[in-house]
Each structure stands twice: as C-alpha cells, then as structure tokens.
Amino acid sequence: TSSKSGRNEEQIYAVLNTSCERRTTMMFKGGNIFNASFDVFANDYHSVRPGYPDSLFEDIRNQCGIDDSSSLLEIGAGSGIATVGLAKLGCHIVAIEPGAHLIAIARKQTEKFKNVEIFEETFENFQPSNKFDVILAFTAFHWLSEGDRYQQILNLLKSYGSLVLVWNSFFQSDLPVTVDINNAYNEFLPDIYPEKSSVADVNEGVLSKLNRREQEIVANPLFYPVFLRKYLTTYSYDDQTYPKLLNTFPKIVEIEEEKRSRFLERIAEIIKRHGKISVPVLTTLIICQGKNCFLEIMANPKGGI
C-alpha cells in the first residue's frame, strides 16, 4: 500500500507474547493545529512513508480474535497505508482521517474493498452509532488530545474489545552518508538542530521517545497491555525519495519554504553522491484490553491445569 522503496529485508523480534485535512485541523495536546505535512504533501506521504509488515496484521488478527463479523475503527487512517492491510482481514473497517487530500488517496487505495468506510473527521468529533471490537491507531495515537483519549476510546469499545497501537520509529544507520546528512541538518537548520548529533545520539533519542510512549500506555489506569511485539525493516531511499520522506516530517515541513527547499536540495546532493541511504524502521505493536475486562478474565479463566 505504501512505497517499499528498496525494501531490503524484514527481521521480526518477539519481545512479549501474552495471549490474555479540507484544511486539516487536528487536536494535539489539547489545542487545534494545522499539520500541512500530512495533507498538503499527501502524495509524498503516501509514496515514501514505510508501511507495516504482513506479519503484524496476522498478529492483530490472532491476538484480537478478528473474524468476518468483527468491526474495526482505524483512527488517523492517513492515505490508507494500513487500511488496506486491515481490509484484507475481511472484517468491517471504519476509518477516520481529517485530511481531505489524504482521504482521496485512501479511498482510491481501498475502492475494491466493500468492507471499508472512510470518513473525513477528527476522532474528537467522531460520533458513531455502534461500538467496535477493535480500535486501532497506526503512527497516529500521539496526535490525539491527551486529556481523555483513553476514556474516549474505552467508550467506543465493546466489552472485551481491544485497543491496538502501532508506531513506526525511524532510526539511523551508522554509515558515511548518515554523517553527511546530520552535518547538513546542523548547517542549514541550526535554529532547529543547534548541535551536531552522532548516529548514536540520534538513535538514543528515538529510543527514548519510544520508551516514553510505551511507559505512558503501561501507566494509564484504563487499559492493560497484553501483547507487545517489535518488527525491524530496513528501507533504502535515493536522492528523489529521501527528500520526499523528510518533507513529511512536521519539523521539516514547518520550515519557511525557501530555507526548506535549500535544505532538501543539499540532502538530495548528498544522497546522489553516496548512491542511497538505508533507514532502519522499528515498528512497535501494542495490544491492550480494558483493565477491568482484563481483571475479569483473570478472575474467571477458561480451562486450567
């Protein structure tokens, strides 16, 4: 569904396996924002953003007990990168996305699937008539208003329903091309990236951000994580596709146009000189159940020794 530009390999690591934008307005940390990177550059987003491993969708199916009768809600569907994978599960999919340009791409991607409905709407304003067996967010949950997002999701879940959270985290390969890229950040965007960063520093920062997200999920009082798995995929980008990828990141797209163009031109020159750049992407899958439902299952187990 998304471009797998130069996809080299997929390595899957099982960490824990416990069975038990119209002008795009989104809520971010309690306030309205306009995020041009996701809608204005919708074509770039769809063509170069990494997708998700097929095995991830199988894990979701198996761990959430999804069958043809299940109903799923996808929050922040974007251009449909994950929606197609969900549609192939055969169940009913309701997808919401506030970006009009992204919606157009998502509808095109899913037009052959009769089990998919896509609505141009924010999660905060979405008022469905029915509850869902599974609610999912693919690299989108952090955009929801922090105040009561867990409660809002719980209100939309059926009894024993599942919350599925997925993130793609971009790490750096320890290669000469990456060193040159990091130097370009410091040279062209010193107000945003004031200090030179090594590959190790960048990767440590990415991992810390991912850890904070995981810890927030563990600490919230309404849901309990019952399944966690990591998937590592390496993608290759060239001098045409890597600048497009950077142009989908909020910190980059918010830069004044002339400065951003000069920066992306330099990035293209660096990649062309080196031939390509390899980007390790770590996909994290976390499946949660409502804490009260989880405790009820623990108190009333099926079977036993």
Side-chain angles (χ1 to χ4, degrees):
T1 58
S2 66
S3 172
K4 300 287 189 295
S5 175
R7 179 170 174 168
N8 294 331
E9 62 181 331
E10 179 184 304
Q11 299 169 308
I12 302 173
Y13 300 92
V15 177
L16 173 66
N17 185 348
T18 309
S19 63
C20 21
E21 297 170 25
R22 190 181 12 185
R23 188 171 170 86
T24 308
T25 303
M26 300 183 73
M27 294 295 295
F28 181 59
K29 299 187 184 301
N32 287 326
I33 66 164
F34 170 57
N35 193 329
S37 64
F38 295 137
D39 198 53
V40 173
F41 297 103
N43 289 326
D44 284 355
Y45 187 93
H46 184 74
S47 66
V48 298
R49 277 276 183 154
Y52 303 94
D54 291 341
S55 51
L56 176 142
F57 294 100
E58 285 302 308
D59 285 335
I60 292 173
R61 180 208 296 273
N62 295 335
Q63 296 300 320
C64 297
I66 294 172
D67 58 27
D68 292 350
S69 66
S70 301
S71 59
L72 277 59
L73 170 65
E74 183 190 3
I75 301 170
S79 62
I81 290 174
T83 315
V84 171
L86 294 174
K88 291 177 181 178
L89 299 180
C91 51
H92 181 231
I93 310 294
V94 173
I96 54 175
E97 164 58 45
H101 297 96
L102 289 166
I103 283 282
I105 298 173
R107 286 177 174 156
K108 181 69 174 177
Q109 293 299 310
T110 59
E111 61 184 357
K112 69 178 182 180
F113 296 101
K114 305 306 180 185
N115 55 326
V116 176
E117 294 181 275
I118 301 178
F119 297 94
E120 186 179 341
E121 187 59 273
T122 63
F123 174 68
E124 289 77 11
N125 294 329
F126 184 57
Q127 295 182 335
S129 57
N130 299 309
K131 294 190 175 185
F132 299 90
D133 297 293
V134 184
I135 296 178
L136 313 94
F138 289 78
T139 316
F141 185 70
H142 55 287
W143 288 107
L144 302 183
S145 178
E146 291 182 347
D148 59 356
R149 55 186 172 182
Y150 289 104
Q151 184 63 62
Q152 286 181 287
I153 289 171
L154 190 61
N155 292 344
L156 294 180
L157 275 177
K158 295 179 182 178
S159 298
Y160 305 105
S162 298
L163 168 62
V164 176
L165 302 176
V166 180
W167 279 282
N168 275 340
S169 300
F170 295 81
F171 287 81
Q172 290 190 344
S173 298
D174 194 6
L175 298 169
V177 61
T178 311
V179 175
D180 289 350
I181 292 292
N182 289 345
N183 289 338
Y185 272 95
N186 181 251
E187 177 185 354
F188 282 81
L189 308 175
D191 49 335
I192 302 174
Y193 303 95
E195 299 179 1
K196 288 187 178 180
S197 297
S198 67
V199 171
D201 291 336
V202 172
N203 287 345
E204 177 65 32
V206 174
L207 188 60
S208 295
K209 183 176 182 179
L210 179 57
N211 285 340
R212 289 194 298 272
R213 287 176 175 173
E214 293 176 355
Q215 290 165 8
E216 177 206 300
I217 295 166
V218 171
N220 94 85
L222 298 179
F223 286 91
Y224 185 76
V226 296
F227 184 88
L228 168 65
R229 195 168 190 178
K230 308 281 186 176
Y231 314 74
L232 176 61
T233 310
T234 299
Y235 294 83
S236 286
Y237 292 92
D238 60 21
D239 60 301
Q240 299 296 313
T241 54
Y242 192 65
K244 287 182 179 181
L245 176 67
L246 297 186
N247 209 36
T248 67
F249 294 154
K251 277 190 176 182
I252 301 300
V253 78
E254 290 169 2
I255 299 168
E256 181 268 325
E257 184 175 356
E258 183 178 351
K259 180 189 290 188
R260 184 176 73 247
S261 295
R262 290 200 306 269
F263 168 70
L264 294 177
E265 286 173 4
R266 173 60 64 86
I267 295 298
E269 292 171 1
I270 293 171
I271 302 298
K272 190 170 186 178
R273 186 168 69 250
H274 287 274
K276 67 176 183 177
I277 184 170
S278 295
V279 180
V281 176
L282 184 67
T283 302
T284 299
L285 166 64
I286 303 178
I287 300 177
C288 306
Q289 288 183 327
K291 188 168 290 185
N292 290 339
C293 290
F294 175 79
L295 291 174
E296 183 177 335
I297 292 171
M298 290 299 97
N300 300 277
K302 295 181 180 179
I305 297 176

